[in-house]
Amino acid sequence: MDDVNLARTVTDMFVTEMPKYICTLKQAVLDCDSKNIELHAHSIQGAAANIGTDRFRSIAAAIESAGRSADVSKASRHIPELESQYNVAVTEIRTKIPPIPLG
């Protein structure tokens, strides 16, 4: 696998799987489950760091910190921005690395 195909594979996984991670994080917030907020935000932060989406990563880090301190309200306030920055990240990724062609 060459570098371009590897980059496409990794970014395609990020784009398709991240909504599931965000959904799971949102459920942890709704459940007021600070431990899972911290856990899922940490996973999102790691994935974002691997892709190089710095703003998205920093919001996930803030949510992780809120979970660690059991501040569910603070974590909740960051969710809309996290979702917005995910969309920004996808646009930036697709501008630089087109998806793997189907077929």
Side-chain angles (χ1 to χ4, degrees):
M1 181 178 290
D2 63 26
D3 290 345
V4 173
N5 283 333
L6 176 61
R8 281 182 173 160
T9 299
V10 171
T11 56
D12 283 354
M13 286 178 58
F14 176 85
V15 169
T16 59
E17 296 298 316
M18 189 53 61
K20 297 171 194 170
Y21 284 87
I22 293 171
C23 185
T24 303
L25 174 61
K26 287 170 66 174
Q27 187 60 54
V29 170
L30 289 172
D31 293 343
C32 296
D33 184 346
S34 60
K35 189 70 172 166
N36 274 320
I37 291 170
E38 180 183 3
L39 175 72
H40 296 303
H42 180 78
S43 295
I44 291 169
Q45 179 185 357
N50 288 337
I51 297 294
T53 54
D54 294 332
R55 181 71 186 132
F56 184 67
R57 185 207 53 77
S58 70
I59 297 164
I63 296 171
E64 179 185 9
S65 176
R68 188 176 310 110
S69 63
D71 190 343
V72 175
S73 177
K74 184 175 183 180
S76 179
R77 288 192 303 270
H78 285 294
I79 296 293
E81 187 178 10
L82 183 75
E83 292 176 310
S84 174
Q85 285 302 311
Y86 166 73
N87 291 325
V88 169
V90 169
T91 299
E92 289 175 0
I93 288 167
R94 290 300 181 223
T95 299
K96 294 175 186 173
I97 305 168
I100 297 171
L102 298 175

